[in-house]
Amino acid sequence: MNDIKKCIDSGLSDMKLSPDFVKRIENSKKPGGTFSGHGYRIRYGVLTAVLCILLFGTAAFAAGSLLYSKIRVNQEAIPDLDPMEITAVNPVEGTVTEYGDVEKTYVSFRELEEELGIKLLDTDLASENPFAKISYRKLGEGYHVIDIQEYILGDVTDIREWKGEPIDNTREGNDEWYVWTQGAVYKTPVDLKIEIISDPSQQELDTEYMGCYKYVETFTSQQGYTVNVLRDTIAEEQTALPEGYTPQTLMIFAAEGIRYTLEGRIPPETMKEIVSSMK
C-alpha cells in the first residue's frame, strides 16, 4: 500500500488541478458522478484505476493545432499516437452540472452524430444492439467525452438488467447495469470511449493509466492508425482466478484528430479485428 501511495504522490506532485477537483472525485463515487470512470467493472475483488487528467497549464492551442497529448502507464511514457486536432462540434443542450459541465444520454450512435454535427468512426459489429449505453460530457472550454458501454456484444449471451444479485464469476460477468453469460471469445462486451477537443483555449490533455495495467505493444492498423495496446495484469498477480481467465485489453488510437479507446476482456487479436473494422 505504501508503494501505491508513493506512486500516486509522485505522479500528482507537480500537477495543477482545478480548485474543485477533489470535490469532483468525491462525487464520482455516486451514480452519475462527474468523474465517473469509463466502463468501471469490479471483478474478483480487484479495482483497476484509470486516471485521466486535464492539465491546467499556461499554453493554449490555436485552431488547427496538432495536440500531442501524452499517455503514460504507471508513470512510464508509451509511444505517441497520431495527434489530436481541434475539431468543431455543435453545442449540446444537455443537463448543466454544478461545475458547469454539460451531460446528456443518447438512444443511438446516429442521434449522437447528428447532434454533434460530425462523423465518428463506427463498426458494423456494433449494429442492432439495444443494450448500448451512450453518454456525453463536455468539460471545460472544449473537452468532449463520449462513453459507449456495451458497444459490441460479440458472443456474450443472456444479457439482462443487473439488480445486485450474486453472479457466478466462472461463467458470468457484470457491470453497473447488466449481467451476462460469457462467450467463448468475449468475456465482457467491448466499451468505446471517444475524446474530442473543440476549442483553441482548451488546455493539453494527458492521460495516466494507474494500477493493474501494462503496455504491451504499438502497431499500425489496416487504416494506418497508430494503436497502443494495454492489458491488465490481474492474472499475473492473482492465483484464485477462473481457469482460462482473459485479461482486459485496451486499444487506444487517434483518427482524424479524435481519440478512441476500445476496452474489453477479449483476446488482443479479436480487438485488432475490431479496430480494423472501424470506419
Side-chain angles (χ1 to χ4, degrees):
M1 184 62 70
N2 287 336
D3 290 341
I4 295 175
K5 183 179 184 300
K6 289 178 181 178
C7 174
I8 294 174
D9 288 345
S10 176
L12 298 179
S13 60
D14 58 357
M15 291 183 180
K16 292 183 179 180
L17 303 176
S18 61
D20 61 359
F21 183 79
V22 173
K23 187 175 181 181
R24 290 181 180 226
I25 292 294
E26 290 173 347
N27 280 355
S28 73
K29 300 173 185 177
K30 306 173 185 177
T34 304
F35 272 68
S36 56
H38 169 59
Y40 67 87
R41 287 175 176 151
I42 303 174
R43 298 189 180 86
Y44 314 116
V46 178
L47 175 63
T48 302
V50 178
L51 180 62
C52 181
I53 296 176
L54 287 172
L55 298 183
F56 293 80
T58 56
F61 294 100
S65 294
L66 303 181
L67 313 183
Y68 288 94
S69 300
K70 302 298 181 181
I71 298 177
R72 296 168 63 88
V73 180
N74 291 314
Q75 298 187 298
E76 296 294 330
I78 63 177
D80 288 338
L81 300 176
D82 299 324
M84 297 180 70
E85 301 176 11
I86 301 297
T87 303
V89 299
N90 294 333
V92 170
E93 294 185 4
T95 301
V96 179
T97 72
E98 61 183 300
Y99 310 110
D101 304 333
V102 178
E103 298 180 344
K104 189 171 182 177
T105 59
Y106 293 86
V107 298
S108 73
F109 196 84
R110 297 294 162 256
E111 180 190 23
L112 168 70
E113 287 184 316
E114 289 175 4
E115 181 149 6
L116 292 179
I118 59 174
K119 176 67 176 175
L120 299 168
L121 293 186
D122 196 9
T123 172
D124 291 340
L125 298 172
S127 63
E128 299 182 4
N129 174 9
F131 298 101
K133 295 282 189 179
I134 305 174
S135 62
Y136 162 90
R137 288 175 293 156
K138 176 179 179 289
L139 298 90
E141 296 297 327
Y143 174 48
H144 308 259
V145 183
I146 300 156
D147 285 309
I148 308 178
Q149 295 185 257
E150 279 69 56
Y151 175 60
I152 299 173
L153 300 181
D155 61 352
V156 163
T157 59
D158 193 26
I159 185 167
R160 58 202 185 275
E161 183 181 355
W162 184 53
K163 300 179 180 179
E165 71 275 13
I167 68 168
D168 180 357
N169 285 326
T170 64
R171 64 181 186 86
E172 294 181 314
N174 75 287
D175 59 15
E176 59 268 43
W177 290 296
Y178 300 114
V179 61
W180 55 81
T181 299
Q182 299 174 6
V185 178
Y186 287 67
K187 305 307 178 183
T188 71
V190 171
D191 297 337
L192 173 64
K193 178 179 182 179
I194 303 172
E195 296 169 278
I196 303 169
I197 301 293
S198 68
D199 193 286
S201 65
Q202 178 60 54
Q203 304 302 312
E204 182 177 351
L205 170 67
D206 283 5
T207 304
E208 176 89 22
Y209 289 85
M210 300 182 69
C212 302
Y213 281 106
K214 69 176 181 180
Y215 165 72
V216 177
E217 64 170 318
T218 298
F219 71 94
T220 302
S221 72
Q222 292 182 7
Q223 307 96 315
Y225 308 140
T226 299
V227 185
N228 282 334
V229 182
L230 277 60
R231 298 196 80 184
D232 76 45
T233 59
I234 295 173
E236 300 173 11
E237 301 167 4
Q238 301 286 321
T239 58
L241 295 176
E243 184 178 354
Y245 172 80
T246 301
Q248 192 92 344
T249 296
L250 284 75
M251 295 205 174
I252 312 164
F253 64 96
E256 299 181 3
I258 297 172
R259 191 157 74 190
Y260 297 81
T261 302
L262 291 159
E263 179 175 0
R265 281 185 51 212
I266 67 174
E269 292 307 314
T270 303
M271 189 73 87
K272 288 181 179 181
E273 292 173 2
I274 294 174
V275 173
S276 296
S277 72
M278 298 188 72
K279 56 186 179 180

PDB file of all heavy atoms in Angstrom, residues 241-255:
ATOM      1  N   LEU A 241      -8.047 -17.021  -9.846  1.00  0.00           N
ATOM      2  CA  LEU A 241      -8.876 -16.661 -10.981  1.00  0.00           C
ATOM      3  C   LEU A 241      -9.382 -17.914 -11.682  1.00  0.00           C
ATOM      4  O   LEU A 241      -8.739 -18.965 -11.629  1.00  0.00           O
ATOM      5  CB  LEU A 241      -8.081 -15.808 -11.962  1.00  0.00           C
ATOM      6  CG  LEU A 241      -7.627 -14.439 -11.450  1.00  0.00           C
ATOM      7  CD1 LEU A 241      -6.770 -13.742 -12.491  1.00  0.00           C
ATOM      8  CD2 LEU A 241      -8.823 -13.572 -11.094  1.00  0.00           C
ATOM      9  N   PRO A 242     -10.514 -17.811 -12.368  1.00  0.00           N
ATOM     10  CA  PRO A 242     -11.026 -18.971 -13.104  1.00  0.00           C
ATOM     11  C   PRO A 242     -10.033 -19.440 -14.167  1.00  0.00           C
ATOM     12  O   PRO A 242      -9.267 -18.639 -14.716  1.00  0.00           O
ATOM     13  CB  PRO A 242     -12.309 -18.439 -13.748  1.00  0.00           C
ATOM     14  CG  PRO A 242     -12.694 -17.257 -12.941  1.00  0.00           C
ATOM     15  CD  PRO A 242     -11.416 -16.657 -12.452  1.00  0.00           C
ATOM     16  N   GLU A 243     -10.062 -20.719 -14.467  1.00  0.00           N
ATOM     17  CA  GLU A 243      -9.185 -21.270 -15.495  1.00  0.00           C
ATOM     18  C   GLU A 243      -9.486 -20.605 -16.836  1.00  0.00           C
ATOM     19  O   GLU A 243     -10.636 -20.405 -17.215  1.00  0.00           O
ATOM     20  CB  GLU A 243      -9.400 -22.775 -15.598  1.00  0.00           C
ATOM     21  CG  GLU A 243      -8.465 -23.454 -16.582  1.00  0.00           C
ATOM     22  CD  GLU A 243      -8.663 -24.952 -16.616  1.00  0.00           C
ATOM     23  OE1 GLU A 243      -9.461 -25.464 -15.791  1.00  0.00           O
ATOM     24  OE2 GLU A 243      -8.048 -25.614 -17.462  1.00  0.00           O
ATOM     25  N   GLY A 244      -8.441 -20.228 -17.557  1.00  0.00           N
ATOM     26  CA  GLY A 244      -8.625 -19.581 -18.852  1.00  0.00           C
ATOM     27  C   GLY A 244      -9.031 -18.126 -18.769  1.00  0.00           C
ATOM     28  O   GLY A 244      -9.609 -17.587 -19.715  1.00  0.00           O
ATOM     29  N   TYR A 245      -8.726 -17.463 -17.633  1.00  0.00           N
ATOM     30  CA  TYR A 245      -9.067 -16.046 -17.467  1.00  0.00           C
ATOM     31  C   TYR A 245      -8.517 -15.216 -18.626  1.00  0.00           C
ATOM     32  O   TYR A 245      -7.347 -15.354 -19.019  1.00  0.00           O
ATOM     33  CB  TYR A 245      -8.506 -15.530 -16.147  1.00  0.00           C
ATOM     34  CG  TYR A 245      -8.635 -14.037 -15.969  1.00  0.00           C
ATOM     35  CD1 TYR A 245      -9.837 -13.483 -15.565  1.00  0.00           C
ATOM     36  CD2 TYR A 245      -7.555 -13.188 -16.210  1.00  0.00           C
ATOM     37  CE1 TYR A 245      -9.970 -12.109 -15.402  1.00  0.00           C
ATOM     38  CE2 TYR A 245      -7.679 -11.817 -16.042  1.00  0.00           C
ATOM     39  CZ  TYR A 245      -8.884 -11.275 -15.650  1.00  0.00           C
ATOM     40  OH  TYR A 245      -9.017  -9.923 -15.488  1.00  0.00           O
ATOM     41  N   THR A 246      -9.350 -14.357 -19.197  1.00  0.00           N
ATOM     42  CA  THR A 246      -8.953 -13.467 -20.286  1.00  0.00           C
ATOM     43  C   THR A 246      -8.760 -12.060 -19.739  1.00  0.00           C
ATOM     44  O   THR A 246      -9.703 -11.457 -19.231  1.00  0.00           O
ATOM     45  CB  THR A 246     -10.024 -13.429 -21.393  1.00  0.00           C
ATOM     46  OG1 THR A 246     -10.216 -14.745 -21.906  1.00  0.00           O
ATOM     47  CG2 THR A 246      -9.606 -12.496 -22.520  1.00  0.00           C
ATOM     48  N   PRO A 247      -7.549 -11.507 -19.814  1.00  0.00           N
ATOM     49  CA  PRO A 247      -7.317 -10.156 -19.283  1.00  0.00           C
ATOM     50  C   PRO A 247      -8.078  -9.087 -20.070  1.00  0.00           C
ATOM     51  O   PRO A 247      -8.511  -9.298 -21.203  1.00  0.00           O
ATOM     52  CB  PRO A 247      -5.800  -9.975 -19.458  1.00  0.00           C
ATOM     53  CG  PRO A 247      -5.261 -11.353 -19.588  1.00  0.00           C
ATOM     54  CD  PRO A 247      -6.317 -12.142 -20.289  1.00  0.00           C
ATOM     55  N   GLN A 248      -8.208  -7.943 -19.433  1.00  0.00           N
ATOM     56  CA  GLN A 248      -8.797  -6.776 -20.083  1.00  0.00           C
ATOM     57  C   GLN A 248      -7.802  -6.228 -21.094  1.00  0.00           C
ATOM     58  O   GLN A 248      -6.619  -6.040 -20.796  1.00  0.00           O
ATOM     59  CB  GLN A 248      -9.104  -5.708 -19.029  1.00  0.00           C
ATOM     60  CG  GLN A 248      -9.976  -4.574 -19.512  1.00  0.00           C
ATOM     61  CD  GLN A 248     -11.455  -4.848 -19.248  1.00  0.00           C
ATOM     62  OE1 GLN A 248     -11.827  -5.981 -18.983  1.00  0.00           O
ATOM     63  NE2 GLN A 248     -12.267  -3.832 -19.319  1.00  0.00           N
ATOM     64  N   THR A 249      -8.263  -5.967 -22.306  1.00  0.00           N
ATOM     65  CA  THR A 249      -7.430  -5.391 -23.356  1.00  0.00           C
ATOM     66  C   THR A 249      -7.930  -3.999 -23.700  1.00  0.00           C
ATOM     67  O   THR A 249      -9.137  -3.796 -23.851  1.00  0.00           O
ATOM     68  CB  THR A 249      -7.451  -6.267 -24.616  1.00  0.00           C
ATOM     69  OG1 THR A 249      -6.875  -7.543 -24.331  1.00  0.00           O
ATOM     70  CG2 THR A 249      -6.649  -5.622 -25.739  1.00  0.00           C
ATOM     71  N   LEU A 250      -7.017  -3.036 -23.807  1.00  0.00           N
ATOM     72  CA  LEU A 250      -7.339  -1.684 -24.252  1.00  0.00           C
ATOM     73  C   LEU A 250      -6.569  -1.397 -25.523  1.00  0.00           C
ATOM     74  O   LEU A 250      -5.376  -1.724 -25.618  1.00  0.00           O
ATOM     75  CB  LEU A 250      -6.966  -0.632 -23.208  1.00  0.00           C
ATOM     76  CG  LEU A 250      -7.860  -0.457 -21.979  1.00  0.00           C
ATOM     77  CD1 LEU A 250      -7.659  -1.589 -20.998  1.00  0.00           C
ATOM     78  CD2 LEU A 250      -7.597   0.887 -21.321  1.00  0.00           C
ATOM     79  N   MET A 251      -7.237  -0.789 -26.487  1.00  0.00           N
ATOM     80  CA  MET A 251      -6.565  -0.314 -27.698  1.00  0.00           C
ATOM     81  C   MET A 251      -6.935   1.137 -27.888  1.00  0.00           C
ATOM     82  O   MET A 251      -8.110   1.496 -27.933  1.00  0.00           O
ATOM     83  CB  MET A 251      -6.937  -1.166 -28.898  1.00  0.00           C
ATOM     84  CG  MET A 251      -6.434  -2.593 -28.755  1.00  0.00           C
ATOM     85  SD  MET A 251      -6.186  -3.465 -30.304  1.00  0.00           S
ATOM     86  CE  MET A 251      -5.422  -4.979 -29.660  1.00  0.00           C
ATOM     87  N   ILE A 252      -5.905   1.995 -27.976  1.00  0.00           N
ATOM     88  CA  ILE A 252      -6.069   3.443 -27.988  1.00  0.00           C
ATOM     89  C   ILE A 252      -5.461   3.983 -29.271  1.00  0.00           C
ATOM     90  O   ILE A 252      -4.304   3.677 -29.595  1.00  0.00           O
ATOM     91  CB  ILE A 252      -5.369   4.085 -26.777  1.00  0.00           C
ATOM     92  CG1 ILE A 252      -5.738   3.343 -25.484  1.00  0.00           C
ATOM     93  CG2 ILE A 252      -5.716   5.564 -26.665  1.00  0.00           C
ATOM     94  CD1 ILE A 252      -4.817   3.648 -24.328  1.00  0.00           C
ATOM     95  N   PHE A 253      -6.222   4.783 -30.011  1.00  0.00           N
ATOM     96  CA  PHE A 253      -5.685   5.361 -31.244  1.00  0.00           C
ATOM     97  C   PHE A 253      -6.415   6.659 -31.549  1.00  0.00           C
ATOM     98  O   PHE A 253      -7.496   6.933 -31.008  1.00  0.00           O
ATOM     99  CB  PHE A 253      -5.829   4.378 -32.413  1.00  0.00           C
ATOM    100  CG  PHE A 253      -7.250   4.037 -32.784  1.00  0.00           C
ATOM    101  CD1 PHE A 253      -7.902   4.703 -33.816  1.00  0.00           C
ATOM    102  CD2 PHE A 253      -7.943   3.040 -32.100  1.00  0.00           C
ATOM    103  CE1 PHE A 253      -9.207   4.391 -34.159  1.00  0.00           C
ATOM    104  CE2 PHE A 253      -9.249   2.714 -32.435  1.00  0.00           C
ATOM    105  CZ  PHE A 253      -9.893   3.399 -33.468  1.00  0.00           C
ATOM    106  N   ALA A 254      -5.805   7.477 -32.392  1.00  0.00           N
ATOM    107  CA  ALA A 254      -6.423   8.719 -32.843  1.00  0.00           C
ATOM    108  C   ALA A 254      -6.645   8.632 -34.342  1.00  0.00           C
ATOM    109  O   ALA A 254      -5.787   8.138 -35.090  1.00  0.00           O
ATOM    110  CB  ALA A 254      -5.546   9.916 -32.511  1.00  0.00           C
ATOM    111  N   ALA A 255      -7.821   9.097 -34.774  1.00  0.00           N
ATOM    112  CA  ALA A 255      -8.168   9.103 -36.196  1.00  0.00           C
ATOM    113  C   ALA A 255      -8.809  10.433 -36.535  1.00  0.00           C
ATOM    114  O   ALA A 255      -9.775  10.842 -35.878  1.00  0.00           O
ATOM    115  CB  ALA A 255      -9.130   7.957 -36.505  1.00  0.00           C
TER     116      ALA A 255
END
